[in-house]
Amino acid sequence: MTATSSVWAQQNPTEITITAEPPIRVSGFDGAPLQELPISVSTINQATLRDIGAQRVTDALRLDASVSDSYNLPAYWDKLSVRGFALDNRYNYRREGLPISAETIIPMDNKERIELLKGTSGIQSGTSSPGGLVNYLVKRAPTSAEKNIRDVTLSYGPGNNRLVAADLGGRFGQDADFGYRFNVAHEDLDPYIRDTKGYRNLVALAMDWRINNSNRLEWEFEQSHHTQIGVNFYSLLSSGSTQRVLPPTVDGTRNITRQPNSQPGVFDGLTGTVRLKHQLNNGWTWQTQYGLQRLRADDRLTYASGCSSAISDSFCLSPMGNFEIRDYTSENERRKSDAIQTELRGQVQLGGLEHSVQLSLMRQRQMNQMPYSYSDNLVGMTNINGGLTPTPDDNTYRQTSSTDYSTEVAVNDRVRLTDRTQAWFGLRHTQLSRQSIQTDGSAAVQDIRGVSTPWLALSHQLTPHHLVYASYGQGLEARATPNTPNYTNAGQPLPALRSTQREVGIKSQGTRDSWQITWFDITRPAISDSGVCNTNAGSCTQQIDGQAHHQGIELNAQRHLSRWSMGGSATWLDAKRENATVQTDLNGQRPINVPKYILRGMAEYRSASMVGLRSGLRLSHEGERNVTEYGDIMLPAWTTVDATTHYDTKVNHVASTWTLAINNLANKHYWRESPKQYGQYFLYPGAPRTIRATIQFHL
């Protein structure tokens, strides 16, 4: 949801105004305003990102009730689910509309807006998870030479984090033809979780050149570095030979796996884009852009692997809280991504109807160049209360490198049937060529196929402020069995996972309030492992087995009164497995770590007696969810409340914004999420009460 915040007006300490945002135009939809689109979109603007102190996309998208965590480690890259489907970090993220890999930590300091396009993966991407797509938009130069940007930010917390950042922008040259936006940030990381120190840096520059009235050149790049000690999850406690129990909630400040020899994970990223926009005759526009991304990672984590028990399908902590400490190290992982896209858009009259047409062609390459091997070594046995019994070993394993090429051709048409009714049509054809090979030169696999994903919608303007729509679309995921010896079909491509989504919604947009109600229904083929599936060679086979069926209702609303701003969102989700023939006992079961419902809310009040002061509360509530496959252990629902106060004033004639934020106001202890990964049931505790203080100077 988009939150409206007070802004500094004319650098006058006695005059605060609320400025109306221009109509939001979502990337990839021929410039149509958000209110006219037959899709569900959440946009998190720069004011909201600043108010909540968002340093990661997790911080921002957690404002939306359709989003929850999905194995989301604090010192690792973000992993989220939308509408109950985990986003694919390789295929569900965009920057300026071009695909990027999110297998890194992406900074927020230079981001203008984040868009979450729910249920539209087949429209925007040839292959991706059906939940939705995340698109980052970077900060750009001001439109006028008189609107220079000179912002300096100092922040302390949560924990002992210390941030200093600068945001500079302006225009120069004859007739202000050139524009720039420069962002730089440094943060010493010492969060509320003990023994997880690190630091991060960002340097980013965006520029544009108004060549003439018909041509505009834009380019931007960002270089980021993040190094920090990793944080591992807790797990279930074993009770007897076949029983597991949920342990009591714990202090979220503890890092139970930290050892003196633990090494920090390191994530470096260079991302850039160059774009040429050309205005043709009769309102047509041609745009070509090229994007590159170069990532490097030293993936290191000291983690809890559990203790082996008679429960054959998983690991969990012993009844006394004992577990193994292991050390994972994979040095110098390199990921490269290149994409070039050209598109033509404009309007044409055909058959007596107005068509807004968009044609695009994109060529993309993703390369994962892994080191020859990684190590996964036993350090010893320990307990959740501390101590270590050293029992080291030394194990190295081969890695798998991969290369993905794709060519996508897309056609989109928005047809104005009447003054109030529009039809939307889209078709995307993707030609895939994927190869993987183990780093010793063995187990080479190739997957070449072509896929098409259609999308269509109908929207009708009931009144100038109310829109109703219905849509149908398909998405696709091209998956392969892990290239490891325990699978009989190791590395082999699986049949295409074609998802379908139906959506019906109604939107309202007024001068003081807005709301949307959306019903969605998504199905996607599910995957099962048949056999014992242990470390023995050929012990299991991976195959498609039934489908995942997710349907639900989303509510979003905002209201602006004289001095109050209120907003909220809610999602009810019925998710279950259907038609499985291998794991038949999963039919009707809810997937692990997917809440039944989520509520988010906010209220903010602007003081009448003290101009420039505004205070607010934010509420998050997530319903219970399955910890195990059959729901015999459930994660309880939890609720947190955050409080913020912002004050716009002047210090020595310099405009400034002061912020004090308290998260988890009641200092509630709770289990935040419960994913299952790598054969283990994980539990992650929620953050305790934390405080953040920020000062931003507008020079």
Side-chain angles (χ1 to χ4, degrees):
M1 61 184 174
T2 304
T4 302
S5 304
S6 63
V7 296
W8 190 257
Q10 306 298 323
Q11 295 192 351
N12 189 331
T14 62
E15 186 175 341
I16 303 295
T17 64
I18 300 295
T19 59
E21 293 182 352
I24 296 174
R25 286 171 166 78
V26 177
S27 304
F29 280 91
D30 72 11
L34 175 61
Q35 174 60 19
E36 296 182 9
L37 296 180
I39 60 174
S40 181
V41 181
S42 289
T43 62
I44 315 297
N45 62 15
Q46 183 184 352
T48 303
L49 293 174
R50 181 182 64 243
D51 280 358
I52 66 176
Q55 296 300 334
R56 301 177 59 163
V57 69
T58 304
D59 304 328
L61 294 184
R62 204 174 284 141
L63 300 175
D64 189 291
S66 66
V67 181
S68 60
D69 293 306
S70 179
Y71 190 68
N72 207 4
L73 291 165
Y76 204 57
W77 56 62
D78 298 279
K79 291 188 177 183
L80 302 172
S81 71
V82 178
R83 294 180 172 177
F85 289 102
L87 299 189
D88 190 322
N89 282 55
R90 293 189 65 185
Y91 303 112
N92 280 76
Y93 289 81
R94 299 288 184 270
R95 181 181 181 275
E96 296 294 324
L98 286 178
I100 60 170
S101 171
E103 293 181 319
T104 191
I105 298 177
I106 299 175
M108 294 291 104
D109 310 87
N110 68 321
K111 303 304 185 291
E112 177 71 28
R113 190 168 83 243
I114 299 175
E115 299 173 342
L116 173 61
L117 288 71
K118 289 176 274 190
T120 61
S121 62
I123 314 171
Q124 301 283 330
S125 172
T127 58
S128 58
S129 172
L133 290 174
V134 176
N135 185 40
Y136 298 93
L137 298 171
V138 303
K139 294 177 181 177
R140 299 199 173 279
T143 57
S144 170
E146 287 74 36
K147 296 181 179 180
N148 288 333
I149 298 169
R150 300 288 186 271
D151 291 342
V152 175
T153 301
L154 304 174
S155 182
Y156 178 81
N160 194 32
N161 289 354
R162 289 159 291 175
L163 167 72
V164 57
D167 182 5
L168 311 175
R171 305 203 67 84
F172 62 95
Q174 186 177 5
D175 300 323
D177 292 333
F178 294 91
Y180 69 93
R181 190 71 174 268
F182 179 69
N183 283 267
V184 60
H186 172 80
E187 185 172 16
D188 290 319
L189 301 171
D190 187 7
Y192 64 88
I193 304 174
R194 297 193 294 266
D195 302 319
T196 58
K197 289 185 178 181
Y199 69 93
R200 69 177 186 91
N201 295 318
L202 170 71
V203 177
L205 177 66
M207 298 193 70
D208 67 73
W209 176 23
R210 299 169 179 171
I211 301 173
N212 51 45
N213 292 334
S214 301
N215 295 280
R216 183 185 180 98
L217 185 65
E218 300 174 342
W219 63 97
E220 58 268 343
F221 82 91
E222 59 188 77
Q223 174 75 57
S224 62
H225 175 80
H226 189 288
T227 178
Q228 188 179 4
I229 294 290
V231 181
N232 191 237
F233 290 84
Y234 288 75
S235 187
L236 297 174
L237 294 176
S238 61
S239 176
S241 61
T242 60
Q243 297 295 319
R244 315 175 187 92
V245 295
L246 186 71
T249 54
V250 299
D251 179 3
T253 66
R254 298 185 59 204
N255 184 2
I256 62 173
T257 59
R258 174 67 190 273
Q259 298 297 317
N261 61 342
S262 296
Q263 296 295 311
V266 180
F267 303 94
D268 291 304
L270 172 64
T271 308
T273 312
V274 60
R275 180 182 310 103
L276 177 64
K277 297 180 178 179
H278 179 62
Q279 190 69 42
L280 303 172
N281 296 328
N282 301 320
W284 283 76
T285 302
W286 170 64
Q287 174 178 290
T288 295
Q289 56 181 343
Y290 167 73
L292 66 83
Q293 185 184 45
R294 300 292 183 264
L295 304 178
R296 182 190 176 280
D298 293 332
D299 192 353
R300 306 171 180 140
L301 180 65
T302 303
Y303 70 97
S305 69
C307 58
S308 183
S309 70
I311 303 171
S312 61
D313 64 342
S314 67
F315 289 98
C316 59
L317 306 184
S318 74
M320 301 303 295
N322 298 320
F323 59 93
E324 294 177 350
I325 285 283
R326 303 191 70 89
D327 188 71
Y328 177 89
T329 302
S330 179
E331 304 278 356
N332 198 28
E333 298 180 354
R334 294 185 179 271
R335 296 171 173 88
K336 299 179 180 180
S337 178
D338 298 272
I340 184 168
Q341 180 188 56
T342 186
E343 64 179 25
L344 183 68
R345 64 174 62 182
Q347 295 182 342
V348 63
Q349 293 287 332
L350 292 174
L353 298 174
E354 179 184 291
H355 296 253
S356 297
V357 181
Q358 178 179 344
L359 309 172
S360 69
L361 171 67
M362 184 174 69
R363 176 70 170 169
Q364 180 190 3
R365 178 188 69 169
Q366 283 194 10
M367 300 178 64
N368 284 5
Q369 298 175 329
M370 296 293 104
Y372 182 81
S373 63
Y374 68 90
S375 63
D376 187 4
N377 299 324
L378 177 64
V379 177
M381 293 295 299
T382 187
N383 185 275
I384 57 176
N385 296 315
L388 178 70
T389 303
T391 53
D393 62 5
D394 187 12
N395 298 294
T396 59
Y397 304 90
R398 294 190 303 270
Q399 296 264 42
T400 299
S401 296
S402 63
T403 303
D404 294 0
Y405 290 91
S406 67
T407 302
E408 300 184 13
V409 180
V411 179
N412 294 288
D413 186 9
R414 175 163 59 112
V415 185
R416 187 170 295 277
L417 302 177
T418 69
D419 290 342
R420 294 187 175 186
T421 306
Q422 299 183 85
W424 307 68
F425 303 95
L427 180 65
R428 179 176 296 270
H429 179 77
T430 304
Q431 192 67 37
L432 299 172
S433 176
R434 297 182 173 179
Q435 301 84 32
S436 67
I437 188 171
Q438 292 192 355
T439 48
D440 63 354
S442 65
V445 178
Q446 187 174 39
D447 179 14
I448 298 177
R449 64 178 103 178
V451 295
S452 297
T453 51
W455 178 75
L456 56 92
L458 186 68
S459 62
H460 179 72
Q461 201 79 43
L462 296 173
T463 72
H465 302 295
H466 297 84
L467 178 90
V468 63
Y469 70 88
S471 68
Y472 170 84
Q474 295 184 0
L476 190 129
E477 295 169 86
R479 298 273 292 274
T481 303
N483 203 356
T484 55
N486 59 319
Y487 285 98
T488 60
N489 56 340
Q492 296 300 315
L494 295 171
L497 306 183
R498 185 176 293 273
S499 59
T500 62
Q501 173 164 299
R502 299 165 181 85
E503 183 170 312
V504 177
I506 182 170
K507 299 180 179 183
S508 175
Q509 181 69 54
T511 56
R512 290 184 174 272
D513 56 48
S514 63
W515 52 266
Q516 179 172 347
I517 303 175
T518 307
W519 170 85
F520 62 87
D521 186 288
I522 307 173
T523 60
R524 183 189 71 176
I527 296 175
S528 290
D529 291 337
S530 61
V532 179
C533 214
N534 53 30
T535 57
N536 296 328
S539 61
C540 60
T541 301
Q542 190 168 98
Q543 62 192 78
I544 291 178
D545 184 28
Q547 67 179 14
H549 186 188
H550 295 198
Q551 58 180 331
I553 296 175
E554 295 171 346
L555 306 175
N556 296 275
Q558 297 174 55
R559 176 71 172 172
H560 305 293
L561 302 176
S562 59
R563 295 193 174 276
W564 284 93
S565 295
M566 294 170 286
S569 63
T571 295
W572 170 81
L573 179 61
D574 178 23
K576 58 188 174 184
R577 183 77 165 266
E578 296 178 336
N579 304 322
T581 58
V582 176
Q583 293 180 299
T584 56
D585 52 354
L586 291 181
N587 285 325
Q589 297 293 338
R590 189 177 187 85
I592 289 175
N593 199 34
V594 175
K596 293 182 177 180
Y597 58 90
I598 300 176
L599 304 174
R600 316 285 193 204
M602 62 81 66
E604 185 177 81
Y605 177 74
R606 293 184 298 114
S607 174
S609 59
M610 184 176 293
V611 176
L613 179 68
R614 52 192 172 93
S615 300
L617 294 174
R618 294 187 184 273
L619 177 144
S620 291
H621 177 84
E622 296 196 10
E624 62 181 8
R625 68 193 81 191
N626 283 9
V627 178
T628 55
E629 288 84 350
Y630 308 105
D632 52 313
I633 299 179
M634 302 289 293
L635 197 73
W638 54 265
T639 304
T640 60
V641 176
D642 306 330
T644 58
T645 295
H646 310 278
Y647 183 43
D648 295 322
T649 186
K650 277 192 172 182
V651 177
N652 294 329
H653 306 288
V654 175
S656 61
T657 301
W658 300 65
T659 297
L660 178 65
I662 305 176
N663 295 331
N664 192 3
L665 195 61
N667 197 28
K668 181 181 179 65
H669 287 187
Y670 62 100
W671 295 117
R672 177 167 56 83
E673 64 159 323
S674 57
K676 184 180 181 181
Q677 294 283 339
Y678 315 114
Q680 180 170 340
Y681 299 101
F682 288 108
L683 298 169
Y684 191 76
R689 182 193 298 123
T690 59
I691 298 176
R692 173 177 58 90
T694 301
I695 308 171
Q696 185 175 64
F697 296 101
H698 313 285
L699 305 177

